[in-house]
């Protein structure tokens, strides 16, 4: 693949202009920011919104799928252990079959949902919350700086931001990583990247398994 990258590429998380080649396969380039270590796919390789939605429409997630509930429990269980009774939450990027919000409501919390394709109610982004969840979302964000800072601003002091995304380990495992092959995945975070964010935000961050991240404000 020939280099077709423009020179004016900035990290979509920290705006740093120093990005190094990280990997390239037959479809795309992957660059790593030297400051926050986010691995990102340059915009020229991003899908259009309609092509992206076609991929999401194929996701058959539903609250009746016990396997999917088990998957979400990896975040829900440690998060619920930290929440006060009757907390107010938002699930950002709830997808075509909201499930995590139902699991949290079952525990007595009140939930709003937002999804750019399936639940585009902007008013929920003008309220504040005790916690926000976002599962399998951040890897799809073209502008993670804007979206994550917006979510963070909606969280009350002492509140939580719970994320699920598979973490980058190192260059060698990245090269054979199935997670990078999904054409809608354009931003890949590591613990180093989330530690950078926590430092920027003055937050604490905890990790559970290899894909659950909980920030406290
Ligand atoms: Zn960066």
């Amino acid at each position: 693949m020939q280099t077709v990258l423009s020179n004016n590429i900035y990290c979509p998380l920290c705006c740093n202009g120093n990005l190094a080649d990280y990997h390239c396969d037959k479809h795309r380039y992957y660059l790593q920011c030297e400051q926050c270590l986010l691995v990102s796919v340059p915009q020229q390789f991003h899908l259009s919104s309609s092509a992206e939605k076609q991929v999401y429409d194929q996701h058959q997630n539903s609250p009746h799928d016990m396997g999917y509930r088990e998957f979400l429990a990896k975040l829900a269980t440690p998060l619920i252990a930290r929440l006060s009774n009757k907390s107010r939450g938002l699930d950002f990027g709830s997808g075509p079959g909201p499930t995590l919000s139902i699991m949290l409501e079952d525990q007595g919390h009140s939930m709003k949902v937002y999804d750019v394709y399936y639940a585009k109610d902007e008013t929920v982004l003008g309220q504040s919350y005790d916690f926000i969840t976002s599962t399998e979302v951040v890897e799809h964000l073209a502008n993670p700086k804007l979206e994550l800072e917006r979510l963070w601003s909606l969280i009350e002091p002492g509140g939580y931001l719970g994320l699920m995304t598979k973490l980058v380990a190192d260059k060698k495992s990245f090269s054979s990583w199935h997670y990078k092959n999904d054409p809608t995945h354009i931003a890949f975070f590591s613990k180093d990247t989330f530690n950078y964010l926590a430092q920027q935000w003055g937050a604490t961050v905890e990790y559970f398994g290899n894909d659950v991240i909980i920030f406290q404000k």
Side-chain angles (χ1 to χ4, degrees):
M1 196 159 88
Q2 279 203 317
T3 300
V4 287
L5 300 175
S6 79
N7 293 322
N8 298 315
I9 294 183
Y10 295 91
C11 173
L13 185 62
C14 76
C15 300
N16 188 289
N18 293 322
L19 305 186
D21 288 335
Y22 192 71
H23 183 71
C24 122
D25 57 28
K26 59 181 188 286
H27 302 294
R28 313 188 291 183
Y29 276 95
Y30 306 83
L31 305 175
Q32 186 175 43
C33 172
E34 292 182 358
Q35 179 164 266
C36 73
L37 303 180
L38 182 80
V39 176
S40 61
V41 172
Q43 199 170 10
Q44 68 207 81
F45 301 109
H46 295 185
L47 297 183
S48 67
S49 295
S50 58
E52 192 180 45
K53 182 168 183 295
Q54 276 183 6
V55 176
Y56 298 152
D57 283 342
Q58 293 161 12
H59 290 191
Q60 296 296 319
N61 299 335
S62 113
H64 308 296
D65 178 343
M66 286 304 136
Y68 186 48
R69 279 181 176 250
E70 232 168 79
F71 172 75
L72 294 172
K74 293 194 288 178
L75 169 61
T77 302
L79 181 64
I80 288 165
R82 283 160 178 74
L83 296 177
S84 307
N85 288 340
K86 298 186 178 175
S87 288
R88 296 165 301 118
L90 167 70
D91 187 32
F92 179 82
S94 44
T99 301
L100 181 59
S101 55
I102 293 172
M103 292 165 66
L104 289 157
E105 282 172 346
D106 286 346
Q107 297 297 317
H109 306 296
S110 61
M111 294 298 297
K112 299 277 174 64
V113 297
Y114 178 84
D115 191 286
V116 68
Y117 293 122
Y118 304 103
K120 199 171 182 185
D121 174 6
E122 303 281 347
T123 64
V124 305
L125 300 177
Q127 303 168 27
S128 62
Y129 298 94
D130 300 315
F131 69 96
I132 296 177
T133 54
S134 195
T135 60
E136 300 285 309
V137 170
V138 296
E139 65 275 14
H140 300 282
L141 298 177
N143 194 339
K145 177 180 171 62
L146 179 91
E147 304 287 0
L148 287 171
E149 285 181 354
R150 175 164 63 170
L151 294 181
W152 191 245
S153 75
L154 304 181
I155 297 172
E156 299 279 7
Y160 297 93
L161 174 63
L163 307 175
M164 274 182 89
T165 187
K166 299 265 186 300
L167 295 170
V168 174
D170 54 48
K171 224 180 229 190
K172 187 170 180 297
S173 54
F174 191 90
S175 66
S176 58
W177 200 23
H178 69 93
Y179 205 61
K180 76 168 181 344
N181 298 335
D182 182 326
T184 67
H185 289 180
I186 53 180
F188 304 92
F189 295 72
S190 61
K191 281 187 183 178
D192 288 331
T193 304
F194 286 125
N195 289 343
Y196 170 87
L197 264 189
Q199 197 186 16
Q200 293 294 305
W201 290 346
T204 58
V205 60
E206 288 181 278
Y207 300 94
F208 303 86
N210 63 354
D211 59 354
V212 171
I213 305 97
I214 298 180
F215 291 91
Q216 185 176 20
K217 191 161 178 174

